[in-house]
Amino acid sequence: MSGTSEEIFFRGLLQTFLARAWKSSIRISKLKVPTAGLIAALIFAYAHMEINFTPFSVDFSTLQVTLAFILGVFYSIAYERTRSLIAPVVSHNFANLVQYLIAGLTLALYS
């Protein structure tokens, strides 16, 4: 259920706040992506990195950060189109469920 709290913060608060300064959007193929949504997705991707302060280290999976960015863009578009947090929250929780099921199946098959 982490998707619920993350979407409240990243889309409900951060993207809404950023949209006051960046009202423009970028067209990627046939998709209209809000600039504020791209910035929020980038911050969302960085939030999925592991940063330790003592001793200082940054650990991350390129695949995980890339996937977080792509999904963050998707959630931003869903939020922009629906003007509701329901679509990104449900989508985020579903994506998390799929990831946990894949990880569980992988662990069961290879252990």
Side-chain angles (χ1 to χ4, degrees):
M1 298 306 289
S2 64
T4 303
S5 59
E6 288 182 2
E7 291 310 313
I8 289 170
F9 176 74
F10 286 102
R11 261 37 82 189
L13 296 175
L14 186 61
Q15 184 172 336
T16 301
F17 175 77
L18 292 171
R20 292 180 183 168
W22 286 283
K23 298 183 187 320
S24 62
S25 60
I26 297 169
R27 187 160 296 278
I28 299 174
S29 187
K30 294 183 179 184
L31 287 176
K32 180 179 162 188
V33 183
T35 304
L38 280 174
I39 297 167
L42 186 62
I43 296 168
F44 179 73
Y46 283 127
H48 285 81
M49 296 170 64
E50 183 179 334
I51 300 172
N52 299 303
F53 292 101
T54 50
F56 184 77
S57 67
V58 178
D59 299 315
F60 66 93
S61 159
T62 305
L63 179 62
Q64 181 184 11
V65 172
T66 303
L67 183 60
F69 176 73
I70 292 167
L71 288 173
V73 170
F74 173 77
Y75 303 146
S76 294
I77 293 168
Y79 177 64
E80 182 75 17
R81 286 187 178 184
T82 63
R83 290 287 182 208
S84 170
L85 283 172
I86 294 172
V89 165
V90 169
S91 299
H92 193 146
N93 286 322
F94 180 74
N96 285 352
L97 175 66
V98 169
Q99 288 174 334
Y100 287 124
L101 290 175
I102 290 171
L105 287 172
T106 303
L107 185 63
L109 289 172
Y110 292 103
S111 58

